[in-house]
Amino acid sequence: QLEELLQAGSRLAKVEVFPGVSSFDMLINMFGMTKLSEKGLFTADLNFFMRDPQFEPGPYIFFFAPFCLNTKDGAKFRAGFIKTLAGKYAPRFPAYLVRCEANPAEVEVIRGCMSCLPALLKLCGERHTLVIFSESRLASLNDPPPWLRFTVRDICNCA
C-alpha cells in the first residue's frame, strides 16, 4: 500500500524516499539495551514536559527535543528543568546528548554531567536526545561489547 501511495504522490510532485531509522530504536540498539533497567524506561518530549518536569530517577530516561530549551519560548523553562535534574542526581552523574543518524559514522554522542548540563544543552540541535541511564547501566557503558563501539566526546571538565 505504501508503494501505491508513493506512485500516486509522484504523479503530483517529485517524491524522494530516504532510508531512516527511528532514534528510539537506534538508542535502544546503540547502547545494547537488551534488558531495560529494573525500573523501566521513561520517555518525555521536552516540548511539553519542560513546563512541569516531574519524574523519579532510576529508569533509563530519554528526553526528546532538548533543543526546545534553547528556543525563545523554551528559555524560560530551561533553569527550572536544570534545577529539577540537579535536585535528583549527584553533581557528577553522567548525562549524554545523542544525535542518531542512519549512517553510524555520523552518530554523535556527547557526555557531560549534571554540573555541566547547561553547557551540554547549549550543544544540542533538533535531532539530539538527552539520555540519562540508571546507575546499574552506567557500569556496563565503561566496558561495552565489541559491537557497541562508538566515539564519545566528553565535554565534562568538572573536577
Side-chain angles (χ1 to χ4, degrees):
Q1 192 171 5
L2 178 60
E3 188 174 320
E4 292 171 10
L5 288 171
L6 291 173
Q7 287 176 354
S10 67
R11 288 190 289 270
L12 301 172
K14 182 178 178 182
V15 176
E16 195 169 347
V17 178
F18 295 96
V21 177
S22 150
S23 62
F24 181 85
D25 289 335
M26 190 160 196
L27 288 166
I28 294 291
N29 289 307
M30 191 170 123
F31 290 107
M33 296 181 197
T34 53
K35 292 181 183 175
L36 293 178
S37 88
E38 60 283 355
K39 295 189 178 186
L41 172 70
F42 178 81
T43 62
D45 178 345
L46 282 177
N47 283 297
F48 305 101
F49 187 76
M50 68 180 170
R51 291 173 173 81
D52 186 24
Q54 301 296 318
F55 71 98
E56 291 303 318
Y60 303 154
I61 300 177
F62 293 170
F63 288 117
F64 291 98
F67 74 91
C68 69
L69 294 166
N70 296 330
T71 65
K72 185 174 143 185
D73 291 337
K76 61 187 169 197
F77 300 107
R78 182 184 170 96
F81 177 75
I82 291 170
K83 182 178 179 182
T84 297
L85 289 182
K88 295 184 181 283
Y89 294 97
R92 299 279 297 149
F93 198 89
Y96 295 83
L97 201 54
V98 183
R99 186 187 73 223
C100 296
E101 298 289 347
N103 179 351
E106 296 175 5
V107 168
E108 180 179 48
V109 180
I110 307 169
R111 181 187 179 279
C113 70
M114 293 302 143
S115 292
C116 61
L117 193 57
L120 186 65
L121 289 173
K122 286 180 183 176
L123 299 174
C124 70
E126 292 184 3
R127 295 188 328 233
H128 283 98
T129 301
L130 180 63
V131 179
I132 302 172
F133 291 106
S134 67
E135 288 190 47
S136 60
R137 181 68 182 150
L138 289 174
S140 66
L141 289 177
N142 293 329
D143 187 27
W147 69 88
L148 295 177
R149 301 285 184 224
F150 48 85
T151 302
V152 177
R153 179 167 53 121
D154 196 336
I155 64 142
C156 186
N157 58 7
C158 303

